[in-house]
Amino acid sequence: MSYIVMVCMVYAGSKHGKRVQANLGAKNHATVMMNDADRNSTVKALVGAAFGAAGQRCMALSVVILVGDVAEARVWVEEMACEARKLKVGNGFVDGVDVGPLISKDAKSRAEAIIQQSIDQGATCVLDGRGVVVEGYELGNFIGPTIINLNEHSHVQSNEIITNPAYTEEIFGPVLTVLTVPTLDDAIQLTNRNPYGNGCAIFTSSGAAARKYQFEIEAGQIGINVPIPVPLPFFSFTGNKGSIRGDVNFYGKSGVNFFTQLKTVTSNWQYGKGGDLGGTVMPVLGKK
C-alpha cells in the first residue's frame, strides 16, 4: 500500500487512541561476496527469491549487490539470466509453472513502464520479460523474469545517489536489479541508505563477513545464505525503518501484545489480623 496512505492511517488511528500496525513498502537487498560465495547455489537462490510469486511479495528479493570485480560480476549476471530463462511463465494453478501473472493490468503496465524508464536512463536490460505470451491466456497480465544491470561496466560508489527507477521504485513484479560495488563496506552503506528496512541477505562462506554484515546492517530481518529471511511464526516480523509504522511488529509475541490490554494486580495476604496493610509511604520490596 502507498506509504502516504499508511502514514495517514497511523496518524488517524493514533489521534483516536487506537493502535495501528502498518506494513509498508520494501526494497530488499542481497549482498553477494563473489570471492567466496558458492556460485551455483547462490544463483539458484537469488533467482528463486526474485521471481517466485512473480515478485509480488513484500520480502521478494529485488536488488542484488555483487561485491568484487566488475568483469566477474558480468559472469554472475549472465548465469542468473541463464537460470531465470529456465522458469516457466503461466497460470499459477498449473503444475510446473514458476512465474504467474501480475495482479492486474495496471500492475503490469506500471512494471513495464519502469523497465523502459530504467533502460532509457542508461541501465542494461540483460533479460527482458516484457511481451511474453502464454498460450490460452493471451490477454493475461504476464511479465517474464527481467534482470536489469544498472552499471554493467563500472562500480557503483557507496556515496553515489542512484536515481534509476529500477532501483528507487518498489516494482512489485518479476524484476531484479543488479549493481556492483568494490567492497563489503560499500554494500552495507548502500543498503543502509535505502529508506526501507524489511529484509536483506548476504551470501558468503566467510564467518567474519557474515558477522560484520549482521551487526552493521540496518534492515530488521537478515538472512545469512538465506535469500528470504522471513521469521518462523513464533518470532515477530521485524521489518523496520520505512517498511513499518506502528508501535509493535506483527505476529509472534509482538502480534499477541498488539491485541493485549495489560492488567496488574497487587495483593497483600495476611496470615493474621493486625498486619501492616500500608500507610503514608509507598510499599518497599522486602518489607515485613
Side-chain angles (χ1 to χ4, degrees), residues 50-120:
F51 304 124
Q56 298 171 111
R57 47 189 174 186
C58 66
M59 287 296 288
L61 183 61
S62 51
V63 177
V64 170
I65 303 175
L66 299 173
V67 178
D69 180 68
V70 173
E72 184 182 1
R74 289 197 293 270
V75 176
W76 275 77
V77 172
E78 185 52 43
E79 290 195 14
M80 283 187 271
C82 288
E83 189 66 27
R85 289 187 185 99
K86 300 176 184 177
L87 300 180
K88 183 177 180 180
V89 180
N91 181 347
F93 292 102
V94 175
D95 290 341
V97 168
D98 302 298
V99 181
L102 271 68
I103 190 66
S104 68
K105 290 190 179 299
D106 286 344
K108 177 187 176 184
S109 298
R110 178 178 179 272
E112 289 178 335
I114 292 174
I115 294 170
Q116 187 58 51
Q117 290 167 15
S118 71
I119 296 170
D120 293 343

Side-chain angles (χ1 to χ4, degrees), residues 46-211:
L46 296 174
V47 168
F51 304 124
Q56 298 171 111
R57 47 189 174 186
C58 66
M59 287 296 288
L61 183 61
S62 51
V63 177
V64 170
I65 303 175
L66 299 173
V67 178
D69 180 68
V70 173
E72 184 182 1
R74 289 197 293 270
V75 176
W76 275 77
V77 172
E78 185 52 43
E79 290 195 14
M80 283 187 271
C82 288
E83 189 66 27
R85 289 187 185 99
K86 300 176 184 177
L87 300 180
K88 183 177 180 180
V89 180
N91 181 347
F93 292 102
V94 175
D95 290 341
V97 168
D98 302 298
V99 181
L102 271 68
I103 190 66
S104 68
K105 290 190 179 299
D106 286 344
K108 177 187 176 184
S109 298
R110 178 178 179 272
E112 289 178 335
I114 292 174
I115 294 170
Q116 187 58 51
Q117 290 167 15
S118 71
I119 296 170
D120 293 343
Q121 293 186 24
T124 302
C125 190
V126 180
L127 180 63
D128 192 343
R130 293 174 296 175
V132 64
V133 177
V134 177
E135 184 178 355
Y137 302 94
E138 287 78 9
L139 298 180
N141 307 319
F142 297 102
I143 297 179
T146 299
I147 298 177
I148 295 174
N149 195 342
L150 287 192
N151 290 64
E152 189 175 18
H153 301 290
S154 62
H155 285 122
V156 172
Q157 301 303 317
S158 60
N159 61 351
E160 184 176 338
I161 304 300
I162 303 174
T163 59
N164 192 292
Y167 181 80
T168 59
E169 294 292 326
E170 183 183 17
I171 303 173
F172 226 64
V175 182
L176 178 62
T177 302
V178 184
L179 50 88
T180 308
V181 299
T183 69
L184 176 58
D185 283 319
D186 293 311
I188 291 173
Q189 290 176 36
L190 189 62
T191 303
N192 286 345
R193 278 221 322 273
N194 191 272
Y196 296 117
N198 238 11
C200 61
I202 184 171
F203 289 87
T204 181
S205 60
S206 166
R211 183 175 177 82

Side-chain angles (χ1 to χ4, degrees), residues 31-33 35-38 42 202-211 224-225:
T31 292
V32 178
M33 304 299 293
N35 64 326
D36 63 30
D38 182 320
T42 298
I202 184 171
F203 289 87
T204 181
S205 60
S206 166
R211 183 175 177 82
I224 298 174
N225 298 316

Side-chain angles (χ1 to χ4, degrees), residues 22-42:
N23 189 31
L24 280 70
K27 197 72 176 177
N28 305 310
H29 291 47
T31 292
V32 178
M33 304 299 293
M34 292 189 292
N35 64 326
D36 63 30
D38 182 320
R39 181 181 295 179
N40 185 55
S41 60
T42 298

